[in-house]
Amino acid sequence: EKANKLVYDSEASPPVREVATSAEEQRQFVLSSEELLTLARWAVQIEKHYSARVGHDVPMDIEWAKDGLTGELFIVQARPETVHSQAAAEQGATFDVYEITGQRDKLVTGKSVGEKVGQGAVRVIKSTSELHHFRPGEVLVAPMTDPDWEPVLKQAAAVVTDRGGRTCHAAIVSRELGIPCVVGASNATSVLKTQQDVTVSCVEGDEGFVYRGLLQVSHKTIKASELPKPKVPLMLNVGNPSLAFRLAQLPCAGVGLARLEFIVSGLIGAHPMALVHPERLDGPTRDQLQALTASYATPTEYFVDRLATGVAQIAAAFYPRPVIVRMSDFKTNEYAGLLGGSVFEPHESNPMIGFRGASRYYNDRYREGFALECAAMRRVREEMGLSNVKLMIPFCRTLGEGRKVVEELEKNGLRRGEKDLELYVMCEIPNNVILAEQFCELFDGFSIGSNDLTQLTLGIDRDSDLLAHLFDERDPGVKEMIRMVIERAHKHGRKVGLCGQAPSDHPEFGEFLVQCGIDSISITHDALPELSRRLAV
């Protein structure tokens, strides 16, 4: 929000003062794209310089500033980073996995600092005069902190502040101490009450959350060096771009499933067609959309830029390993929940097998929205140079539909085979299995979605509580479907992976896939240690 800024004031001591930013300034980006690239180039040069002097890679801690009068960029500090890099060198690559179970009642949201979960009783402290009330192991909740608070910070289970960003005092100290911290929560000191038990989560991406109560939390540390090499490549299912750089440290073969839905709902928040046709929205919704996209030249550029940014963050983290991006697969009821979505979505009695996936891309109801998705993918692959991105089409019911989607992609500048573009199709409908050899002519490979394939093989709505006891990917009929598609695809030199939930929930299912000759398995990151051991060479 950039609510405040520092300006020069020759009469002040030091000669700066803090003033409020205007609404117009808050809507603008602080740096231009070219300035960002300049800083990035400088950082690379600095790291190369120091690394060359000592003969090995040296991670650098670099600070910069932009002069408010001249607009010039300056490097004001550059020194070797020691705390995290030394720990990594001593321990090797490690990854902490936290799992929070139980019903979550979210009380406060802010920016997450650190990658841990903390729990305890709240202690709201609004000034240094109240610091003596703090007890070790409590969750410190404050408007802001400064160096006078450090003795207390060292004893806190977690820290939550109303104000501040990821470079504020509370964030810096908490990061050094390894304490989970949520900053910029705005209303923490008014919502949270002293002696109230809470769970503070900083393991869910950029956003940090404070939940009511002491939730059950499990924790395990994965040491990459201890994981054996599996018989087939293990890839990861990744939806949240803000977790990508952490997940990319794990010993995996890439990303077998990057879902666009998480990026659209988390980073964009608006229906693509509402951004194409804001004139169809009512006044209040149009105002919301305008506020959301105010920093961009057009509403559609907002969508393309933010979608490209989210995908690129995943692709860059895993580069040069492959990242298979599944084009949007929202159901109509899910799309309707996005800003402006209810205007463009039909009502369906069973959206799970309705207007979803490939059927939308060439339909006039969504064709312009799909064009925006394609524009974002072109930007990632061609402008950003992340050619490790491969595309995947979900819920493609028929060969005719497959051909229409391929044509639609080509209209939008994404031609299979050009610039090394590979195009995959989800195998989640019995027709994909029955006509697998014909689908091989249209696509470079298959990725089995075990949830939908089970749903449509067994005739079970996977959202049905009444039939949940019958829903099982290990059913002989489902396994035969999987065996058939692998055999038929291999006959035509096409690869087959699986990105469904089954091997994450049932490690023994991975052994079955290996027996069938699967080319890769994509799983959730927490399932990686167990499946690696199960499938060890």
Side-chain angles (χ1 to χ4, degrees):
E1 293 180 341
K2 306 183 294 294
N4 301 298
K5 65 177 180 178
L6 288 174
V7 299
Y8 285 120
D9 184 349
S10 59
E11 297 180 1
S13 180
V16 292
R17 60 188 171 89
E18 190 173 291
V19 298
T21 52
S22 67
E24 181 63 26
E25 287 173 321
Q26 290 182 30
R27 286 194 294 267
Q28 293 176 358
F29 291 116
V30 175
L31 297 175
S32 68
S33 294
E34 191 51 49
E35 287 172 323
L36 287 168
L37 289 169
T38 296
L39 288 169
R41 292 185 187 107
W42 287 356
V44 171
Q45 287 178 324
I46 290 168
E47 188 173 86
K48 283 183 177 178
H49 171 77
Y50 277 83
S51 298
R53 290 180 63 184
V54 297
H56 59 80
D57 288 344
V58 180
M60 296 298 296
D61 181 345
I62 303 170
E63 295 184 5
W64 58 272
K66 179 179 177 180
D67 189 277
L69 298 179
T70 68
E72 290 178 282
L73 293 172
F74 293 89
I75 298 295
V76 294
Q77 175 175 290
R79 63 183 181 184
E81 192 284 323
T82 56
V83 177
H84 299 289
S85 56
Q86 282 186 4
E90 293 167 3
Q91 301 172 15
T94 62
F95 189 81
D96 290 311
V97 177
Y98 291 85
E99 185 176 0
I100 303 174
T101 54
Q103 188 67 34
R104 303 184 197 183
D105 182 7
K106 191 187 304 176
L107 299 173
V108 166
T109 301
K111 295 295 183 184
S112 67
V113 177
E115 299 170 351
K116 293 185 177 180
V117 175
Q119 295 179 305
V122 167
R123 177 69 63 178
V124 178
I125 294 181
K126 296 187 177 180
S127 69
T128 53
S129 63
E130 302 173 3
L131 286 174
H132 66 280
H133 293 302
F134 187 83
R135 299 290 178 267
E138 293 181 324
V139 174
L140 174 64
V141 178
M144 200 72 163
T145 70
D146 59 40
D148 292 335
W149 296 57
E150 288 186 20
V152 163
L153 288 171
K154 292 176 181 178
Q155 304 174 64
V159 178
V160 185
T161 67
D162 287 338
R163 303 194 303 276
R166 289 196 178 89
T167 56
C168 72
H169 175 267
I172 291 170
V173 174
S174 296
R175 195 179 288 115
E176 290 175 354
L177 295 173
I179 299 170
C181 176
V182 176
V183 296
S186 73
N187 60 352
T189 55
S190 58
V191 172
L192 304 177
K193 308 300 180 185
T194 292
Q195 293 303 305
Q196 176 184 19
D197 286 336
V198 296
T199 298
V200 180
S201 171
C202 292
V203 296
E204 299 172 64
D206 286 338
E207 286 191 305
F209 305 104
V210 180
Y211 298 115
R212 187 189 306 277
L214 303 178
L215 301 179
Q216 186 173 344
V217 180
S218 63
H219 169 234
K220 57 184 176 182
T221 299
I222 302 171
K223 287 191 175 183
S225 59
E226 295 179 356
L227 294 183
K229 183 179 180 180
K231 295 173 183 174
V232 299
L234 294 182
M235 306 176 81
L236 298 182
N237 297 339
V238 180
N240 188 343
S242 62
L243 296 177
F245 285 98
R246 290 176 60 214
L247 296 176
Q249 298 173 40
L250 295 174
C252 63
V255 176
L257 174 63
R259 299 179 178 90
L260 286 197
E261 299 85 54
F262 191 101
I263 300 172
V264 172
S265 59
L267 290 184
I268 296 172
H271 194 288
M273 292 298 290
L275 294 162
V276 176
H277 292 290
E279 74 280 358
R280 298 185 191 175
L281 306 176
D282 59 42
T285 306
R286 195 161 55 246
D287 290 343
Q288 281 183 269
L289 195 75
Q290 187 173 1
L292 193 67
T293 62
S295 299
Y296 292 82
T298 62
T300 54
E301 172 58 20
Y302 166 81
F303 182 92
V304 172
D305 183 74
R306 292 183 74 82
L307 184 59
T309 297
V311 171
Q313 194 164 338
I314 298 172
F318 285 85
Y319 189 88
R321 290 169 288 178
V323 172
I324 300 176
V325 176
R326 187 180 71 185
M327 306 303 276
S328 65
D329 192 25
F330 279 117
K331 287 76 175 175
T332 49
N333 58 322
E334 295 167 340
Y335 258 129
L338 296 172
L339 182 64
S342 59
V343 175
F344 299 93
E345 294 300 324
H347 174 74
E348 294 184 296
S349 57
N350 192 347
M352 184 64 75
I353 55 172
F355 187 47
R356 59 176 284 200
S359 300
R360 303 180 67 93
Y361 305 158
Y362 57 88
N363 188 292
D364 286 339
R365 280 182 174 271
Y366 189 73
R367 179 181 275 117
E368 292 167 294
F370 184 62
L372 297 184
E373 294 183 31
C374 293
M377 295 307 100
R378 285 192 65 186
R379 183 170 296 183
V380 172
R381 284 181 46 83
E382 298 174 20
E383 293 182 33
M384 299 181 183
L386 294 164
S387 56
N388 58 326
V389 166
K390 307 172 190 301
L391 303 184
M392 183 157 66
I393 304 302
F395 226 75
C396 186
R397 292 175 166 94
T398 68
L399 292 169
E401 186 161 78
R403 294 187 187 98
K404 288 182 179 179
V405 170
V406 169
E407 289 173 6
E408 208 65 35
L409 286 165
E410 291 177 353
K411 286 179 188 175
N412 289 286
L414 293 167
R415 183 181 296 274
R416 176 185 162 212
E418 278 189 3
K419 300 175 183 174
D420 298 322
L421 176 62
E422 293 181 14
L423 186 62
Y424 292 82
V425 66
M426 293 288 292
C427 176
E428 47 198 347
I429 298 166
N431 205 32
N432 301 144
V433 179
I434 296 166
L435 299 178
E437 295 186 47
Q438 289 91 325
F439 274 101
C440 285
E441 298 172 10
L442 298 173
F443 300 97
D444 294 298
F446 299 82
S447 185
I448 300 167
S450 56
N451 287 345
D452 275 317
L453 188 59
T454 301
Q455 169 179 247
L456 296 173
T457 299
L458 300 182
I460 296 173
D461 182 343
R462 67 191 228 205
D463 285 344
S464 171
D465 293 332
L466 292 174
L467 298 176
H469 64 287
L470 291 174
F471 189 95
D472 191 342
E473 303 96 323
R474 296 166 295 178
D475 183 272
V478 179
K479 293 171 80 172
E480 184 60 25
M481 284 283 192
I482 292 172
R483 186 179 287 109
M484 286 168 60
V485 73
I486 293 173
E487 179 184 323
R488 295 178 182 188
H490 283 176
K491 183 178 174 182
H492 290 266
R494 296 289 188 253
K495 291 184 178 180
V496 182
L498 184 139
C499 62
Q501 190 67 26
S504 296
D505 290 344
H506 311 293
E508 72 277 7
F509 197 82
E511 296 174 336
F512 159 73
L513 294 172
V514 171
Q515 292 168 7
C516 292
I518 197 95
D519 294 292
S520 65
I521 302 173
S522 193
I523 53 177
T524 54
H525 68 270
D526 56 332
L528 184 64
E530 176 61 24
L531 201 57
S532 293
R533 296 185 185 104
R534 282 264 187 169
L535 304 182
V537 174

